[in-house]
Coordinates of all heavy atoms in Angstrom, one line a residue:
A243 N 1.2 -83.0 30.3 CA 2.5 -83.8 29.9 C 3.5 -82.9 29.3 O 3.3 -82.3 28.3 CB 2.0 -85.0 29.0
P244 N 4.7 -83.0 29.9 CA 5.8 -82.1 29.4 C 6.2 -82.5 27.9 O 6.2 -83.7 27.5 CB 7.0 -82.5 30.4 CG 6.3 -83.0 31.6 CD 5.1 -83.7 31.2
G245 N 6.4 -81.5 27.2 CA 6.9 -81.7 25.8 C 6.0 -82.3 24.9 O 6.3 -82.7 23.7
L246 N 4.7 -82.4 25.2 CA 3.7 -83.1 24.3 C 3.2 -82.1 23.3 O 2.8 -81.0 23.7 CB 2.5 -83.6 25.1 CG 1.6 -84.5 24.3 CD1 2.2 -85.8 23.8 CD2 0.3 -84.8 25.2
G247 N 3.5 -82.3 22.0 CA 3.1 -81.4 20.9 C 1.6 -81.2 20.9 O 0.8 -82.0 21.3
P248 N 1.2 -79.9 20.5 CA -0.3 -79.7 20.5 C -1.1 -80.6 19.6 O -2.3 -81.0 19.9 CB -0.3 -78.2 19.9 CG 1.0 -78.0 19.2 CD 2.0 -78.8 20.0
G249 N -0.5 -81.2 18.5 CA -1.3 -82.1 17.7 C -1.5 -83.4 18.4 O -2.6 -83.9 18.3
R250 N -0.4 -83.9 19.1 CA -0.6 -85.2 19.7 C -1.5 -85.0 21.0 O -2.3 -85.8 21.3 CB 0.8 -85.7 20.3 CG 0.9 -86.9 21.0 CD 0.3 -88.2 20.2 NE 1.0 -88.3 19.0 CZ 2.1 -89.0 18.9 NH1 2.7 -89.5 19.9 NH2 2.6 -89.3 17.6
S251 N -1.4 -83.8 21.7 CA -2.3 -83.6 22.7 C -3.8 -83.6 22.3 O -4.6 -84.2 22.9 CB -2.0 -82.3 23.4 OG -2.8 -81.9 24.5
A252 N -4.1 -82.8 21.2 CA -5.4 -82.8 20.7 C -5.9 -84.2 20.2 O -7.1 -84.5 20.5 CB -5.5 -81.8 19.5
Q253 N -5.1 -85.0 19.7 CA -5.4 -86.3 19.3 C -5.8 -87.2 20.5 O -6.8 -87.8 20.5 CB -4.2 -87.0 18.6 CG -4.4 -88.5 18.2 CD -3.2 -89.2 17.8 OE1 -2.1 -88.6 17.7 NE2 -3.4 -90.4 17.3
A254 N -5.1 -87.1 21.5 CA -5.3 -87.8 22.7 C -6.7 -87.4 23.4 O -7.5 -88.2 23.8 CB -4.3 -87.7 23.8
Q255 N -6.9 -86.1 23.4 CA -8.2 -85.6 24.0 C -9.4 -85.9 23.1 O -10.4 -86.4 23.7 CB -8.1 -84.1 24.1 CG -7.2 -83.6 25.2 CD -7.0 -82.1 25.3 OE1 -6.8 -81.4 24.2 NE2 -7.2 -81.5 26.4
E256 N -9.2 -85.9 21.9 CA -10.3 -86.2 21.0 C -10.6 -87.7 21.0 O -11.7 -88.2 21.0 CB -10.0 -85.8 19.5 CG -9.9 -84.4 19.3 CD -9.3 -84.0 17.9 OE1 -8.9 -84.9 17.2 OE2 -9.2 -82.8 17.6
L257 N -9.6 -88.5 21.2 CA -9.8 -90.0 21.4 C -10.6 -90.3 22.6 O -11.4 -91.1 22.6 CB -8.4 -90.6 21.5 CG -8.3 -92.2 21.6 CD1 -9.1 -92.8 20.5 CD2 -6.9 -92.7 21.6
A258 N -10.2 -89.6 23.8 CA -10.9 -89.8 25.0 C -12.4 -89.5 24.9 O -13.3 -90.2 25.3 CB -10.3 -89.0 26.1
L259 N -12.8 -88.3 24.3 CA -14.1 -87.9 24.0 C -14.8 -88.9 23.2 O -16.0 -89.2 23.4 CB -14.1 -86.5 23.4 CG -13.8 -85.4 24.5 CD1 -13.6 -84.1 23.7 CD2 -14.9 -85.2 25.5
R260 N -14.1 -89.4 22.1 CA -14.8 -90.4 21.2 C -15.0 -91.7 21.9 O -16.2 -92.2 21.8 CB -13.8 -90.6 20.0 CG -14.4 -91.6 19.1 CD -13.6 -92.1 17.9 NE -14.2 -93.1 17.2 CZ -13.6 -94.0 16.5 NH1 -12.2 -94.0 16.4 NH2 -14.3 -95.0 15.8
V261 N -14.2 -92.2 22.8 CA -14.4 -93.3 23.5 C -15.6 -93.2 24.5 O -16.5 -94.1 24.6 CB -13.1 -93.8 24.4 CG1 -13.4 -95.0 25.2 CG2 -12.0 -94.2 23.4
A262 N -15.6 -92.1 25.2 CA -16.8 -91.8 26.0 C -18.1 -91.8 25.3 O -19.1 -92.4 25.8 CB -16.6 -90.4 26.8
E263 N -18.1 -91.2 24.1 CA -19.4 -91.2 23.3 C -19.7 -92.6 22.8 O -20.9 -93.0 22.9 CB -19.2 -90.2 22.1 CG -20.3 -90.1 21.1 CD -21.5 -89.4 21.7 OE1 -21.5 -88.7 22.7 OE2 -22.6 -89.7 21.2
E264 N -18.7 -93.3 22.2 CA -19.0 -94.6 21.7 C -19.5 -95.6 22.7 O -20.3 -96.5 22.4 CB -17.8 -95.1 20.9 CG -17.4 -94.3 19.7 CD -18.2 -94.6 18.5 OE1 -19.2 -95.2 18.5 OE2 -17.9 -93.9 17.4
L265 N -19.0 -95.5 23.9 CA -19.3 -96.5 24.9 C -20.5 -96.0 25.7 O -21.0 -96.8 26.6 CB -18.1 -96.8 25.8 CG -16.9 -97.3 25.2 CD1 -15.9 -97.8 26.1 CD2 -17.2 -98.5 24.2
G266 N -21.0 -94.9 25.5 CA -22.1 -94.3 26.2 C -21.9 -94.0 27.7 O -22.7 -94.3 28.6
V267 N -20.7 -93.5 28.0 CA -20.3 -93.2 29.3 C -21.0 -92.1 29.9 O -21.3 -91.0 29.2 CB -18.8 -92.9 29.5 CG1 -18.3 -92.6 30.8 CG2 -17.9 -94.2 28.9
T268 N -21.4 -92.2 31.2 CA -22.0 -91.0 31.9 C -21.1 -90.8 33.1 O -21.0 -91.7 33.9 CB -23.5 -91.2 32.3 OG1 -24.3 -91.4 31.2 CG2 -23.9 -90.0 33.2
G269 N -20.6 -89.6 33.2 CA -19.6 -89.4 34.3 C -18.3 -89.3 33.7 O -18.1 -88.8 32.6
L270 N -17.2 -89.6 34.6 CA -15.8 -89.5 34.1 C -15.3 -90.7 33.5 O -15.7 -91.8 33.9 CB -14.9 -89.2 35.4 CG -14.8 -87.8 35.9 CD1 -13.9 -87.7 37.0 CD2 -14.3 -86.8 34.8
L271 N -14.5 -90.6 32.5 CA -13.7 -91.7 31.8 C -12.3 -91.3 31.8 O -11.9 -90.3 31.3 CB -14.3 -91.8 30.4 CG -13.4 -92.8 29.6 CD1 -13.7 -94.2 30.0 CD2 -13.8 -92.7 28.1
A272 N -11.5 -92.3 32.4 CA -10.0 -92.1 32.4 C -9.5 -93.0 31.3 O -9.8 -94.3 31.3 CB -9.4 -92.5 33.7
V273 N -8.7 -92.5 30.4 CA -8.2 -93.4 29.3 C -6.7 -93.3 29.4 O -6.0 -92.2 29.3 CB -8.6 -92.7 27.9 CG1 -8.0 -93.6 26.8 CG2 -10.1 -92.6 27.7
E274 N -6.1 -94.4 29.7 CA -4.7 -94.6 29.9 C -4.1 -95.0 28.6 O -4.6 -96.0 27.9 CB -4.3 -95.5 31.0 CG -4.8 -95.1 32.4 CD -4.6 -96.2 33.5 OE1 -3.3 -96.2 33.9 OE2 -5.4 -97.0 33.9
M275 N -2.9 -94.4 28.1 CA -2.4 -94.7 26.8 C -0.8 -94.9 26.9 O -0.2 -94.3 27.8 CB -2.7 -93.5 26.0 CG -4.1 -93.0 25.8 SD -4.2 -91.5 24.8 CE -6.0 -91.1 25.0
F276 N -0.4 -95.5 25.9 CA 1.1 -95.6 25.7 C 1.4 -94.6 24.6 O 0.8 -94.7 23.5 CB 1.5 -97.0 25.2 CG 1.3 -98.1 26.3 CD1 0.8 -99.3 26.0 CD2 1.7 -97.8 27.7 CE1 0.6 -100.3 26.9 CE2 1.6 -98.8 28.6 CZ 1.0 -100.0 28.2
E277 N 2.4 -93.8 24.8 CA 3.0 -93.1 23.6 C 4.2 -93.8 23.1 O 5.2 -94.0 23.8 CB 3.4 -91.6 24.1 CG 3.9 -90.8 23.0 CD 4.3 -89.4 23.5 OE1 4.7 -89.2 24.7 OE2 4.3 -88.5 22.6
T278 N 4.1 -94.0 21.8 CA 5.2 -94.8 21.2 C 5.7 -94.0 19.9 O 5.0 -93.0 19.5 CB 4.7 -96.2 20.7 OG1 3.8 -96.0 19.6 CG2 3.9 -96.9 21.7
A279 N 6.7 -94.4 19.4 CA 7.2 -93.8 18.1 C 6.2 -93.8 17.0 O 6.1 -92.9 16.2 CB 8.5 -94.5 17.7
A280 N 5.3 -94.8 17.0 CA 4.2 -95.0 16.0 C 3.0 -94.3 16.2 O 2.1 -94.2 15.4 CB 4.0 -96.5 15.7
G281 N 2.8 -93.8 17.5 CA 1.6 -93.1 17.9 C 1.0 -93.5 19.2 O 1.8 -94.1 20.0
L282 N -0.2 -93.2 19.5 CA -0.9 -93.6 20.7 C -1.6 -94.9 20.7 O -2.2 -95.2 19.7 CB -1.8 -92.4 21.1 CG -1.4 -91.0 21.3 CD1 -2.5 -90.1 21.4 CD2 -0.4 -90.9 22.4
L283 N -1.5 -95.6 21.8 CA -2.1 -97.0 21.9 C -3.0 -96.8 23.2 O -2.4 -96.5 24.3 CB -1.2 -98.1 22.0 CG -0.6 -98.7 20.7 CD1 0.5 -97.8 20.2 CD2 -0.1 -100.1 21.0
V284 N -4.2 -97.2 23.2 CA -5.1 -97.2 24.4 C -4.8 -98.5 25.2 O -4.8 -99.6 24.7 CB -6.6 -97.1 24.1 CG1 -7.4 -97.3 25.3 CG2 -6.9 -95.9 23.3
N285 N -4.4 -98.2 26.5 CA -4.0 -99.4 27.3 C -5.2 -99.7 28.3 O -5.7 -100.9 28.4 CB -2.8 -99.1 28.2 CG -2.4 -100.2 29.0 OD1 -2.5 -101.4 28.6 ND2 -1.9 -99.8 30.2
E286 N -5.8 -98.9 29.1 CA -6.8 -99.1 30.1 C -7.8 -98.1 30.1 O -7.6 -96.9 29.7 CB -6.2 -99.3 31.5 CG -5.1 -100.4 31.7 CD -5.8 -101.8 31.7 OE1 -7.0 -101.8 31.7 OE2 -5.0 -102.8 31.7
L287 N -9.0 -98.4 30.6 CA -10.1 -97.5 30.8 C -10.6 -97.6 32.2 O -10.6 -98.7 32.9 CB -11.3 -97.8 29.9 CG -11.1 -97.8 28.4 CD1 -12.4 -98.2 27.7 CD2 -10.6 -96.5 27.9

Side-chain angles (χ1 to χ4, degrees):
L246 189 66
R250 180 61 57 84
S251 178
Q253 178 191 5
Q255 289 176 309
E256 290 167 3
L257 181 57
L259 287 169
R260 182 189 171 203
V261 172
E263 176 70 20
E264 295 283 5
L265 301 189
V267 175
T268 298
L270 279 179
L271 170 71
V273 183
E274 298 179 76
M275 307 176 185
F276 294 136
E277 183 181 23
T278 73
L282 298 175
L283 281 73
V284 172
N285 182 36
E286 297 286 355
L287 303 178

